[in-house]
Amino acid sequence: PNLPLSPSPNLPLSPSPNLPLSPSPTLPLSPSSFFWAIAFGISLGLSILVKHTTVLFLFTPIVWLAVGAVRQKAWGRLGQLTGALLLSAAVFGPWAKTNWLLILTGGKRATLDSAIAEGDPGINTIDAWIYYGQHLPEHISWPLLLIPLVGLILYWRRRQDSSSIFYLNSCRWLAVFWVGAYLINSLNINKDDRYVIPYLPVLSIFLAYCLTLWPSRWGRQIRWGTIGLAILAMLFHILPLGGALGNSLVQIISPGNSNYPYLGKEWPHREVIAEIIDREPYLQSTLGVLPSTPEINQHNLNFYGALANFQVYGRQVGTNLKQVPQDVRSLSWFVTKTGPQGSIRERIKKAQNAAVTAIENGDKFQLEKTWILPDYTNLNLYRKREQPVEVQPLNEGRSQVQLDRVTVAAKAVPGVALPVTYTWSGSWQQLQSGLVLVTWQNQQSGNIPPGQTFRILHDRAIAQATLHPGMLEADKFAVGFRVVDRTAMLPPANIAPGTYNLQATYLNRKTGETYPINVPAVSVKIEAEPLDMRSQAEPGNEDNTDKPELDLVTQLRAMATNLPKGLPGLEPVFEQIGRINQYDPIQDYTVQAEQTLEYRLKQEPNNLELAYALAFSRVLQQNVKSAIAALEKVTQLDSQNPYAYAYLAFVQLYGWHPKAAQTALKPALALNSNLPEIRILNGVAALMQGNLIQAWQDLQYLKKLKI
């Protein structure tokens, strides 16, 4: 407020003692300055919550203020700035503490991976540093860029004399902000105009200031003429007014892309979502989207699904050739498109083609509906012929959930996914809130040899948590429904041969209510099978679309069995997690797993396999406190495995508890002090505590780490 930006012809642009540009020790701290410091701290914290790249634009001004305060010994101002930064940290800190790893990994994808894919210039080239400067005319237009700068040059020449030095002190702060943001964003190897949009308002203030520097006798006409040209260029960019000649002229004045309003036939996004909901009114659906054009992609279909009470989610699948069979088995709805497929990178074209072929030419899907798009290509909606979940209203209500029928093969082999269909009935509230703990128990469990298991667990939510009320009226919630749930279970590879009978318990995930479920008389006979046959059927080795797909909770528990192996066991886990997260857009399967495993562990507190799976489910939810509690239980049960302590230490570090992490690693170091993973974690813990010598020694093991 104290820095005028609209000078009169007589306003000097030289330093003025009444216009302090940086903290001054002589300037008293007024109550209002404390108010603005608090306001700045809260605003900075909120802006980081909205978009953490805020720091790229505010880093240089904050450092400028801090250095100025130190140089002038303005300790009061420095204290205010420090307090504001601490206040901002209090605002965004809890979120950053939980998501810091996601920020780093997401930043890598958004910078390194994207820059490599798009062929952006490296930061060691001049093109990287002049990139945004070259694009300024596209951001602003030539009239708004050149005319103000000419006014600045003319003003500078008029004010020149032999005894004065030219200063633009009233614009210094704008220059600090803009130049700092320009340089820091130029360091980003991924170049895109959208990254620097936040500095354009500051640049516009400077250019508007320069427009006021034109000589008064024609300054008014210059300003109105500049504004008129800018408005005209804007209109030509947003409305198709001038035809081919007009477009050519506007590109000279204001280069850049024109964005005309779409006035043609409406694209069928709403109709696609409505068709899915009409066919499955009581289910939440995930739509596999194979094309990725500006008009048809997972983002805009997901948007229209969100408008429909979040009943349909759009997700891009078919991007990894090895995972195409699993994608096709896991989803019931797909859209394909003829003609151009959009921004499908070369490395995933084979995967997309394989997915399209499996859906359009296979016998598992049927064409539900086709729309002719405005670009004269076809959009095809496919639905699986045999639905994983079917919901049928009943004429009478149900007080409790019942298991009416179970359809399963009479015989199975260890380690091979086994198709099974459960038919449940009950009230809507009981079904939607229901977790079922299903156990297939060996009849001779008392005679099972050591090293073999005597049961198959198939715990999960009814209908795999896809029940959605949709347009169901409130007074219909108590009415009975039948749910046909087609899925598959996984007999463990070490399961003992024999006959297995069914047991089931209902667990209400909201209230904690439990009761036994009466089950039909059904059994499965597990036969012995050679090991080489079993290994071909382990999760992740599927190679065709005919095999049944395991529910996501079972897949999570199967992945958790790899955790005791350390890094070699984590590699297949990382490959699969991103895949199955696409199938469950809200990752509810992790909550299902946590709640069912908690119940199981209360009955079997010393079951190590369940303890690992519970810890894994909590880690996937980024629930640091509960994950630490679960991993502490794991270290008690698996006390001779150094990797158990490594997992606990990693989560402690993730939660910014380096001392606790170092304490957790002591038993692991005693067990095997030469494991690179253990020493590296110990080095990170030491580094976070300021022990640089210990950190340097331990982090040398990075050279030995095999990833």
Side-chain angles (χ1 to χ4, degrees):
N2 296 324
L3 307 180
L5 293 179
S6 299
S8 68
N10 297 320
L11 179 66
L13 288 175
S14 54
S16 169
N18 297 321
L19 298 176
L21 298 171
S22 56
S24 172
T26 61
L27 191 64
L29 297 178
S30 63
S32 64
S33 66
F34 286 97
F35 169 79
W36 288 115
I38 293 172
F40 168 70
I42 294 174
S43 300
L44 177 60
L46 293 175
S47 66
I48 292 175
L49 286 178
V50 172
K51 188 72 173 176
H52 56 267
T53 51
T54 295
V55 296
L56 301 180
F57 298 88
L58 295 181
F59 176 79
T60 304
I62 290 172
V63 171
W64 180 276
L65 280 177
V67 172
V70 171
R71 290 181 60 187
Q72 300 185 20
K73 299 181 180 180
W75 309 122
R77 297 293 184 189
L78 184 62
Q80 283 187 333
L81 177 62
T82 303
L85 295 177
L86 291 174
L87 180 59
S88 70
V91 173
F92 73 80
W95 169 82
K97 185 177 179 181
T98 302
N99 294 283
W100 66 269
L101 187 60
L102 181 63
I103 295 171
L104 294 179
T105 55
K108 174 184 175 296
R109 291 193 301 270
T111 54
L112 294 175
D113 297 348
S114 297
I116 293 172
E118 296 168 4
D120 290 330
I123 61 173
N124 60 337
T125 64
I126 189 63
D127 289 340
W129 297 95
I130 65 174
Y131 179 88
Y132 291 118
Q134 290 176 319
H135 285 248
L136 270 181
E138 297 177 17
H139 301 161
I140 299 170
S141 80
W142 283 115
L144 288 179
L145 180 62
L146 293 182
I147 297 175
L149 293 180
V150 171
L152 175 63
I153 294 171
L154 294 176
Y155 185 80
W156 176 74
R157 295 187 63 181
R158 294 201 315 274
R159 307 300 283 184
Q160 281 272 52
D161 59 59
S162 59
S163 60
S164 66
I165 303 176
F166 178 71
Y167 288 104
L168 261 175
N169 285 326
S170 56
C171 291
R172 183 182 296 177
W173 183 250
L174 302 181
V176 168
F177 180 95
W178 185 79
V179 173
Y182 184 95
L183 294 176
I184 290 177
N185 280 279
S186 295
L187 279 170
N188 184 354
I189 65 171
N190 185 18
K191 297 295 189 293
D192 195 296
D193 293 342
R194 61 191 171 93
Y195 293 139
V196 296
I197 285 176
Y199 73 39
L200 294 181
V202 170
L203 182 60
S204 69
I205 293 174
F206 171 73
L207 295 175
Y209 171 58
C210 292
L211 272 178
T212 67
L213 301 180
W214 277 84
S216 57
R217 60 179 177 273
W218 62 72
R220 183 180 181 86
Q221 292 82 355
I222 291 292
R223 286 189 285 274
W224 279 110
T226 304
I227 294 171
L229 279 174
I231 292 174
L232 192 62
M234 177 190 70
L235 292 175
F236 272 85
H237 272 304
I238 64 175
L239 295 172
L241 299 175
L245 178 60
N247 291 337
S248 300
L249 291 175
V250 79
Q251 286 297 321
I252 296 174
I253 298 174
S254 177
N257 294 327
S258 298
N259 294 284
Y260 301 141
Y262 179 73
L263 302 175
K265 179 184 176 183
E266 183 177 357
W267 291 74
H269 301 92
R270 296 180 189 273
E271 297 175 41
V272 172
I273 302 301
E275 182 69 21
I276 295 173
I277 294 175
D278 181 65
R279 296 306 302 267
E280 296 181 347
Y282 304 117
L283 292 177
Q284 171 191 299
S285 303
T286 301
L287 173 63
V289 184
L290 296 177
S292 185
T293 68
E295 298 82 13
I296 302 294
N297 56 65
Q298 70 274 20
H299 303 297
N300 50 32
L301 284 166
N302 185 72
F303 170 78
Y304 283 98
L307 292 182
N309 197 22
F310 295 94
Q311 195 164 351
V312 179
Y313 291 85
R315 290 295 183 267
Q316 185 179 32
V317 293
T319 59
N320 186 318
L321 187 59
K322 293 191 301 182
Q323 296 175 356
V324 165
Q326 295 159 311
D327 292 340
V328 174
R329 286 195 303 270
S330 299
L331 298 181
S332 300
W333 294 93
F334 283 91
V335 288
T336 66
K337 178 183 176 297
T338 60
Q341 298 299 299
S343 57
I344 303 296
R345 296 175 184 173
E346 192 65 33
R347 64 183 177 85
I348 65 174
K349 280 186 177 179
K350 289 184 179 179
Q352 194 220 24
N353 291 337
V356 171
T357 300
I359 292 163
E360 294 186 341
N361 300 336
D363 60 354
K364 302 299 182 183
F365 287 82
Q366 64 184 17
L367 181 62
E368 191 71 22
K369 195 167 184 178
T370 296
W371 291 267
I372 299 177
L373 300 177
D375 63 357
Y376 302 105
T377 60
N378 291 341
L379 181 69
N380 303 314
L381 177 64
Y382 284 87
R383 186 189 187 201
K384 190 169 286 186
R385 294 182 186 275
E386 185 176 61
Q387 292 297 298
V389 178
E390 294 181 13
V391 182
Q392 305 159 358
L394 301 176
N395 294 325
E396 69 279 357
R398 294 281 194 276
S399 59
Q400 290 186 333
V401 169
Q402 301 175 13
L403 181 55
D404 300 328
R405 177 186 295 180
V406 178
T407 303
V408 65
K411 297 181 180 180
V413 294
V416 178
L418 177 62
V420 58
T421 300
Y422 303 97
T423 302
W424 310 93
S425 62
S427 68
W428 180 266
Q429 294 97 326
Q430 291 269 312
L431 291 169
Q432 189 181 38
S433 304
L435 298 173
V436 284
L437 297 109
V438 176
T439 307
W440 295 81
Q441 188 84 21
N442 191 301
Q443 291 179 338
Q444 307 294 327
S445 57
N447 300 320
I448 299 301
Q452 290 188 311
T453 186
F454 53 88
R455 66 184 179 181
I456 307 169
L457 301 184
H458 202 198
D459 306 340
R460 72 211 180 287
I462 294 174
Q464 303 180 46
T466 60
L467 295 178
H468 192 287
M471 302 301 292
L472 189 66
E473 298 176 5
D475 60 346
K476 301 296 184 184
F477 284 165
V479 174
F481 285 83
R482 176 175 289 116
V483 175
V484 180
D485 192 357
R486 299 183 180 93
T487 179
M489 59 183 176
L490 182 65
N494 64 339
I495 193 169
T499 301
Y500 288 74
N501 295 334
L502 178 63
Q503 302 172 4
T505 299
Y506 175 87
L507 169 62
N508 191 303
R509 62 193 301 180
K510 295 181 179 179
T511 66
E513 172 194 11
T514 63
Y515 53 79
I517 300 175
N518 293 326
V519 299
V522 61
S523 62
V524 172
K525 185 176 182 180
I526 302 294
E527 298 183 334
E529 188 72 13
L531 180 61
D532 57 345
M533 297 265 318
R534 293 201 303 265
S535 63
Q536 295 175 13
E538 291 180 357
N541 292 338
E542 297 89 344
D543 58 1
N544 62 71
T545 58
D546 294 328
K547 296 179 181 179
E549 186 68 10
L550 300 170
D551 63 274
L552 301 187
V553 176
T554 300
Q555 291 188 51
L556 182 149
R557 286 192 290 104
M559 285 186 284
T561 61
N562 288 315
L563 297 182
K565 304 174 186 176
L567 278 183
L570 286 178
E571 291 178 6
V573 171
F574 288 144
E575 289 181 3
Q576 301 302 320
I577 283 297
R579 172 183 64 82
I580 66 177
N581 281 348
Q582 293 290 81
Y583 310 150
D584 182 355
I586 59 176
Q587 277 81 69
D588 184 71
Y589 74 95
T590 62
V591 182
Q592 299 171 43
E594 179 186 22
Q595 293 176 316
T596 54
L597 289 164
E598 283 177 342
Y599 182 88
R600 290 279 187 184
L601 275 168
K602 288 179 181 178
Q603 318 301 318
E604 308 169 43
N606 295 323
N607 190 311
L608 178 61
E609 184 176 309
L610 297 180
Y612 266 112
L614 176 61
F616 186 39
S617 68
R618 289 177 174 176
V619 168
L620 291 177
Q621 295 176 64
Q622 297 178 300
N623 192 331
V624 173
K625 186 176 180 180
S626 62
I628 289 173
L631 286 167
E632 287 175 343
K633 179 69 173 180
V634 168
T635 59
Q636 295 172 14
L637 299 176
D638 201 13
S639 59
Q640 297 306 305
N641 186 346
Y643 293 117
Y645 301 99
Y647 293 133
L648 174 59
F650 176 82
V651 177
Q652 293 280 18
L653 290 174
Y654 185 89
W656 295 89
H657 307 138
K659 186 173 181 59
Q662 209 161 33
T663 301
L665 288 169
K666 288 180 180 179
L669 290 168
L671 290 168
N672 190 340
S673 61
N674 293 318
L675 272 179
E677 300 94 314
I678 305 297
R679 296 298 295 268
I680 291 168
L681 288 171
N682 197 61
V684 173
L687 181 64
M688 292 175 69
Q689 295 177 85
N691 189 343
L692 301 182
I693 296 176
Q694 182 68 51
W696 174 259
Q697 293 173 348
D698 287 334
L699 292 177
Q700 296 302 309
Y701 279 78
L702 280 168
K703 302 173 184 177
K704 300 180 180 181
L705 190 64
K706 297 179 180 179
I707 301 179

